[in-house]
Structure formats: structure tokens, C-alpha cells
Amino acid sequence: MMSTGHYRRPYYADVQVTSRCNLKCDFCSASAPGIHSNVNQLKIEDINRIFKELDELGILRVSLEGGEPFLRNDFLDIMKLADIYDFEYYVNTNATLINKKMAKEISRTSVRKLCISIDGPNETIHDICRGQKGAFEKTIDAIKNLQEYNINIDGIITLSRLNVNCLIETIEFISSLGISNVAIMLLASVGYASNNFSQVYLPFDEWSHTLLTLTDLKKSNLLTADVRIVSTGESKCPWELYLPLLKNNRQDDIDSWIRQDSLTNFSEGEFFCTAGKDNLAIDGAGNVYGCSLMVSEPGLRAGNVLKEGLIDIWDKSVVFNELRSNQRSDVKGACASCELLNTCGGGCRACAFALNKDLLYSDTRCPIAQ
């Protein structure tokens, strides 16, 4: 640890209540081990202490996730603990383990919403994406159970080579379930996606065509749900969105996807990355990282909440200090001479590190940086 003085407090946190998962997605950013893996997980007492420290940090929003959080027999008790604190919380889940009885218990908590992965309009596509036959049917049954108790649900589509051809159909299917909010998650080159990059990552030209189609539909109010795209970059113009539009002389269409009123105010010269600045992540063993995309990279571990206080980690971590002090002018690789560097902000630091083992390196997913 190295003291950096008092740093501004984070807004949101991702908390892995377990790293284990009952599915096997080839693009899992957390490299989640299987259901029978012998891995340590946080005790409920430790999770309660983490909640308390997050509350003391002034966290506004917490995502409870995994792995698959409902693998824990005590997860409903964890949700009830979260109810005690001031932060808003939601749950990221594949929903395959939620039966009607559990849905009723969930309805008795204060959870803001459940964010449920739905990667295809049918079992063929969804089950391929999720790595298990029968996952689709279980997820749809769970959604019906949750809706019976009026629990808020968002649909989450992780976009990859596996499901890009049925993206619009998937959005329409999700809306047909009575779900009005859909987030399209763009892949990061971390975790299993790093190992399976060529099999799952969408080529730039194909993504560009998809984005233009989505943009046209959104501008014409023809999308059947309120769709947002979650890029790994966090600037006003993340390259994943800006570059395809720029190459087609449609850069002004970035405003269709980026909410100008919800942006972090980055200081002059820093990377446009909120990791360790506005947010943090805690994995299933208590290790602390700048964001959830970093949890599969041990070299980016900022500390461990079982050994030290979360506030001390936030204020004094060497890793966090590096994330906060790194400047775009120090970037290595092709980005150093790119005229768009100060527009896109340098791309995702987790992806840059995963691909190049250097926080200062270019985000080499970008076609300009390759």
C-alpha cells in the first residue's frame, strides 16, 4: 500500500458473492469456475461488513453478481442484509435457479431490479451462448415466476459472433416477454473472452454494420424496447461506438447512445476510465479491483477486504493510485500517435492490460491500434 491521501468517493460497486457459476459461457469476463469447483467464497458475515464499508464510502449503487449469485443457499439472506443499507442494489443473474418460491421471497426484498441474461430468441442460440442445454427454458420460466410478483427485470444481451445475426430478433423476443429495458453488452477481451477471442469477438466491420442498423432503428423509434449499448469505454465517444459512426460520416449519431448528463468529469489528460475512480469491484474471495472487468487479472488486484479495510484500500492502494495518475500522454503503442486519442480517451484499461499486460498500453481491440 502507498498513501495517496483522501480520494473522491466511488459511486458504485460490483460485488461477487461467489465466483462459481452453473453455466459455461465462452466469453465470461470473470473466468467463473464451475459449480463443483473447490474455491473459497466470502462468509455472510464478511459480506455484511463489506456492505457496511461500502455504505461508509457513500456508494450509491451496488451490483450483486457472480459467477451466479443464486448458487449460494444464503443469497436471499444476503439480499436482506443489503436492504439494511442506504445504497440501491440490483442483481445480475442467469436466473436458471429461480423457482416460484424464490421469486416470492425476492419480492419481499428491496432489490431495484434483476438483470437477466437473454442471449438469443430461442433455445438454440441462447444455450450455445450460455454453454448449457436447457438454460433457455429455465431462464424463461424464472422470468415468468418473477413477473408474477411484479419484480423489475432488465434484459441483458452479451453480443458476440454467436448471436449477432439474431440481435434484432432477440430484442423483439425480450420485449414480447414484457421486458421494456434491454442492455447490449459489448465484449471485453478479458477472462474467458481473452482465451477464446477469435471465436467470440465480433470483427469491427461486422460490428459497424450492426451498430448502424441499431442506430437507424433507434432514431426511427422502431426498436421494440428501450435499448442501450454498454461499451467498455467510458468517454463521450468510446471508440466502439464513435469509430464505426465516424467512418460512415455519422459521428453526430453518437448522441443516440451516450447520455451527456450521466458522464464522469474526467480531469484533463487522464484516461477516460472510471476504474478505481468512480467504481470498484470485489471478487468472490474478497479481492478488490478497479472494476468488474479486472477481476480475472491478478496483476490488477488492489487489496483484499479480509485483510484490510475497504476505505484504506480505496485511499492507499498502489494499483488505484496508478489508475488515477496515469495520463493519456504516456500511452504506449499505436494510440500514442492517433489523432482520436483525446476524443475516445484511450479505450478500456482492463482490455489493454489483459491483451498486453501493461496499463499504459493501447487498447488493441481498436482497429486503428492493431
Side-chain angles (χ1 to χ4, degrees):
M1 291 275 179
M2 180 180 76
S3 177
T4 62
H6 180 81
Y7 191 75
R8 71 177 189 238
R9 292 320 190 200
Y11 300 132
Y12 57 97
D14 300 299
V15 179
Q16 279 189 358
V17 297
T18 180
S19 61
R20 296 183 305 130
C21 189
N22 59 325
L23 303 183
K24 189 70 172 178
C25 306
D26 286 341
F27 46 72
C28 177
S29 63
S31 297
I35 186 172
H36 299 298
S37 300
N38 185 23
V39 294
N40 293 328
Q41 70 178 18
L42 295 166
K43 298 177 181 178
I44 193 168
E45 294 84 4
D46 295 323
I47 291 174
N48 190 36
R49 181 168 58 82
I50 289 169
F51 286 168
K52 184 174 184 293
E53 293 189 78
L54 289 173
D55 216 33
E56 291 171 352
L57 267 172
I59 286 284
L60 300 178
R61 189 184 76 216
V62 174
S63 168
L64 301 180
E65 53 194 42
E68 172 47 48
F70 285 98
L71 274 176
R72 288 191 64 134
N73 294 329
D74 59 355
F75 185 58
L76 285 169
D77 294 326
I78 291 171
M79 294 177 70
K80 291 172 184 175
L81 281 176
D83 289 343
I84 298 171
Y85 298 97
D86 290 334
F87 52 73
E88 177 182 87
Y89 74 97
Y90 55 94
V91 176
N92 280 316
T93 175
N94 60 47
T96 57
L97 302 175
I98 300 175
N99 57 30
K100 187 166 292 190
K101 179 181 179 182
M102 191 174 295
K104 183 177 181 179
E105 290 300 314
I106 293 170
S107 71
R108 293 172 175 167
T109 71
S110 300
V111 65
R112 175 68 180 84
K113 61 184 176 182
L114 267 62
C115 301
I116 298 179
S117 299
I118 308 169
D119 285 339
N122 53 56
E123 61 183 356
T124 301
I125 301 299
H126 180 88
D127 290 357
I128 288 174
C129 292
R130 292 287 142 182
Q132 186 180 106
K133 188 174 178 58
F136 180 79
E137 183 178 358
K138 293 176 182 177
T139 295
I140 301 308
D141 286 345
I143 289 171
K144 293 175 181 176
N145 291 333
L146 293 164
Q147 289 174 329
E148 185 174 334
Y149 292 97
N150 299 313
I151 297 167
N152 292 327
I153 299 171
D154 278 8
I156 308 295
I157 304 171
T158 302
L159 189 63
S160 71
R161 283 178 179 259
L162 305 174
N163 62 357
V164 64
N165 292 330
C166 59
L167 176 59
I168 304 303
E169 187 181 354
T170 303
I171 293 170
E172 292 172 347
F173 172 73
I174 292 173
S175 64
S176 76
L177 295 173
I179 298 171
S180 57
N181 296 309
V182 176
I184 299 172
M185 312 296 291
L186 302 187
L187 278 186
S189 54
V190 300
Y192 291 150
S194 178
N195 301 332
N196 304 306
F197 194 72
S198 61
Q199 289 80 37
V200 298
Y201 197 79
L202 203 59
F204 178 77
D205 288 344
E206 194 169 357
W207 162 239
S208 296
H209 173 75
T210 302
L211 176 61
L212 293 177
T213 300
L214 284 169
T215 303
D216 288 340
L217 291 171
K218 187 176 181 69
K219 291 178 67 176
S220 301
N221 294 316
L222 293 176
L223 290 172
T224 56
D226 184 1
V227 176
R228 63 189 179 98
I229 298 174
V230 181
S231 65
T232 59
E234 294 159 317
S235 72
K236 293 180 181 179
C237 300
W239 70 260
E240 295 143 299
L241 300 180
Y242 186 69
L243 194 55
L245 296 171
L246 178 65
K247 286 182 175 294
N248 288 275
N249 296 313
R250 296 180 55 175
Q251 55 267 39
D252 290 344
D253 281 342
I254 193 75
D255 292 337
S256 297
W257 300 108
I258 301 296
R259 283 179 51 191
Q260 300 300 319
D261 62 348
S262 63
L263 298 170
T264 294
N265 292 316
F266 295 105
S267 61
E268 185 176 354
E270 70 177 320
F271 285 100
F272 295 166
C273 170
T274 62
K277 302 171 187 177
D278 286 349
N279 60 293
L280 60 88
I282 302 172
D283 74 9
N287 297 308
V288 182
Y289 298 86
C291 74
S292 61
L293 295 180
M294 295 181 171
V295 301
S296 60
E297 293 293 335
L300 297 180
R301 185 174 69 89
N304 187 289
V305 290
L306 301 182
K307 300 177 182 178
E308 50 212 320
L310 186 57
I311 293 176
D312 279 346
I313 295 172
W314 181 256
D315 283 336
K316 301 175 183 178
S317 163
V318 172
V319 171
F320 283 171
N321 182 57
E322 185 177 356
L323 287 168
R324 295 161 185 167
S325 61
N326 283 346
Q327 298 292 296
R328 295 194 303 277
S329 59
D330 298 324
V331 71
K332 302 174 185 178
C335 287
S337 58
C338 180
E339 62 183 12
L340 296 178
L341 175 61
N342 293 327
T343 301
C344 84
C348 173
R349 294 299 85 206
C351 293
F353 187 88
L355 292 172
N356 305 286
K357 302 309 174 191
D358 188 338
L359 274 174
L360 283 173
Y361 210 80
S362 301
D363 181 352
T364 48
R365 296 172 306 146
C366 174
I368 297 177
Q370 292 172 3

